[in-house]
């Protein structure tokens, strides 16, 4: 069981939502998630403001963001949706696939991802077209100024 603000949660109940755990926020964003509006309110609000700045239309609610995130992370058949972009056009916090490995873009450099943390920084040519794993809408939110919480190994 897990506890937060006096609330207790039992995990792995059939047919019930189970909280997910990631290395850091950039990893969670790459998987198509957003900050929690209950336990990470300040980060949720920052994400919401950056979403509004990136897409216009004011501050979105969680259902609106979740619908768009789902559309950007999965095809109607359930396959992972990715897109291609030049590495130099990607904001800090975006995840890409490079040489068959997933990793984080930060300050124009790529760091391979593992469950233990990120590898050494590697320069990437800005005009190199790469497969972007982070949903397109989240890349827009990152570009609008949302800075995800990163694992200390990200440098």
């Amino acid at each position: 069981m897990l506890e937060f603000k006096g609330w207790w949660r039992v995990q792995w109940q059939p047919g019930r939502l189970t909280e997910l755990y990631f290395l850091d926020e950039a990893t969670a964003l790459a998987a198509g998630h957003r900050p929690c509006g209950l336990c990470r309110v300040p980060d949720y609000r920052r994400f919401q403001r950056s979403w509004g700045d990136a897409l216009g239309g004011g501050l979105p609610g969680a259902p609106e963001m979740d619908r768009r995130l789902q559309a950007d992370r999965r095809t109607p058949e359930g396959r992972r949706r990715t897109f291609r972009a030049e590495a130099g056009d990607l904001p800090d916090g975006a995840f890409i696939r490079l040489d068959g490995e997933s990793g984080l873009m930060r300050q124009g450099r790529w760091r391979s991802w593992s469950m233990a943390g990120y590898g050494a920084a590697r320069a990437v040519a800005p005009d190199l077209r790469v497969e972007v794993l982070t949903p397109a809408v989240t890349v827009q939110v990152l570009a609008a100024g949302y800075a995800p919480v990163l694992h200390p190994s990200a440098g």
Side-chain angles (χ1 to χ4, degrees), residues 51 55 64-72 137 140:
W51 183 294
L55 280 76
E64 177 185 344
M65 289 189 286
D66 291 345
R67 277 191 300 274
R68 177 65 187 271
L69 286 165
Q70 179 63 17
D72 278 12
V137 69
Q140 290 177 274

Side-chain angles (χ1 to χ4, degrees), residues 133-144:
L133 304 175
T134 302
V137 69
T138 305
V139 171
Q140 290 177 274
V141 172
L142 293 169

Side-chain angles (χ1 to χ4, degrees), residues 48-153:
Q48 200 179 33
R49 282 191 302 274
S50 292
W51 183 294
D53 291 345
L55 280 76
L59 295 179
E64 177 185 344
M65 289 189 286
D66 291 345
R67 277 191 300 274
R68 177 65 187 271
L69 286 165
Q70 179 63 17
D72 278 12
R73 76 175 159 218
R74 295 279 176 212
T75 67
E77 299 78 32
R79 289 189 304 272
R80 183 173 191 155
R81 187 184 305 270
T82 63
F83 66 98
R84 298 195 67 78
E86 289 188 359
D89 291 339
L90 295 172
D92 286 358
F95 259 66
I96 66 168
R97 189 176 331 273
L98 187 64
D99 297 334
E101 291 186 66
S102 299
L104 174 74
M105 288 299 296
R106 183 159 189 248
Q107 299 172 338
R109 299 173 71 78
W110 177 80
R111 291 177 175 270
S112 64
W113 175 92
S114 78
M115 292 293 288
Y118 296 104
R122 175 177 152 192
V124 178
D127 60 346
L128 179 67
R129 293 202 49 86
V130 295
E131 181 183 13
V132 183
L133 304 175
T134 302
V137 69
T138 305
V139 171
Q140 290 177 274
V141 172
L142 293 169
Y146 185 77
V149 178
L150 299 176
H151 188 267
S153 63

Side-chain angles (χ1 to χ4, degrees), residues 20-57:
L20 301 171
Y21 301 93
F22 296 95
L23 174 69
D24 63 7
E25 189 175 17
T27 308
L29 294 175
H33 299 279
R34 59 167 172 77
C36 177
L38 291 175
C39 61
R40 297 188 57 218
V41 175
D43 293 323
Y44 174 83
R45 296 281 184 232
R46 283 189 312 106
F47 189 86
Q48 200 179 33
R49 282 191 302 274
S50 292
W51 183 294
D53 291 345
L55 280 76

